[in-house]
Each structure stands twice: as structure tokens, then as C-alpha cells.
Amino acid sequence: GYPTTGDFIGLVGDRRSRPLMERLEAAVRSGCRLPVVSLAVPFGGHLLPEVRLSDHANFWDEGYAALMLTDTAFMRNPHYHGPGDTMDRLDLEAMTELTLGLVNFVQREGR
């Protein structure tokens, strides 16, 4: 049920973070044109190490709700964090769309 093409934003949370993830997903979906896919992982993500490859996992380990937003580039881009990871390879349109979705989330949460 998950896409095979990296044209989406992925939201990853542990079970404790699910309510936050659902609110963020709704805000991003209504605030931008990017497809959004979410995944709530059990056991703090320890069964799927790829979902722990960012700073959010430390928050999970301490009992805080936290999310990872990803375009999964680290799994499919051979230039990721290397010398070939240059400005011309960025999808600035998608970055703008995500920013609009995040602004929508912040505005909703501030009400």
C-alpha cells in the first residue's frame, strides 16, 4: 500500500506520536499539493531501523511525541549527503509545497 515512486512526503511516528502525526497529515494534505504517506511504527521503530535514522528517535526513547518528515531520499538518492548532493538536484517546488503544508499545521495548532 505504500508508493514505489519517491514523489511524496512521508510522516513517521511511533504509536505515542500518532495523534500528532494525524493532525500534521491532515494539515499538510489540505495545505499543499504533495502526496502524504504516514506510518505509525510499533516498539519505537526498533523493528524497522530505517525509521530511526534521525533525531526524532531520541525523543521517542525519552517518551516524547516526535515525527520524522522525509522524502525518503536517503533510501533512493545515490548523491544523498555526498559531493554530488548539490543545489541543482533539489526539488524547490516540492520544498515550497511542504513549507505551505507546515505553515497550515502551525496555524491550526496555534488556534
Side-chain angles (χ1 to χ4, degrees), residues 1-109:
Y2 289 99
T4 57
T5 303
D7 64 350
F8 62 94
I9 291 300
L11 308 178
V12 181
D14 65 352
R15 293 196 188 251
R16 181 180 296 111
S17 305
R18 183 177 230 139
L20 175 63
M21 185 173 59
E22 289 171 352
R23 293 193 316 272
L24 178 58
E25 181 178 7
V28 171
R29 282 186 191 277
S30 68
C32 77
R33 295 184 299 246
L34 290 175
V36 181
V37 176
S38 62
L39 174 66
V41 294
F43 308 114
H46 289 284
L47 299 177
L48 189 59
E50 292 84 359
V51 303
R52 294 186 54 84
L53 293 177
S54 195
D55 298 336
H56 67 285
N58 296 313
F59 290 92
W60 291 351
D61 294 345
E62 294 299 322
Y64 294 99
L67 302 173
M68 176 173 66
L69 281 72
T70 179
D71 68 353
T72 69
F74 68 96
M75 298 174 75
R76 58 185 169 72
N77 180 350
H79 305 286
Y80 187 74
H81 284 192
D85 198 357
T86 56
M87 251 329 247
D88 60 306
R89 296 185 189 277
L90 296 176
D91 185 344
L92 298 177
E93 210 172 291
M95 292 170 71
T96 300
E97 286 296 321
L98 177 58
T99 301
L100 293 171
L102 293 172
V103 166
N104 190 37
F105 173 72
V106 170
Q107 288 174 336
R108 286 181 178 200
E109 291 291 303

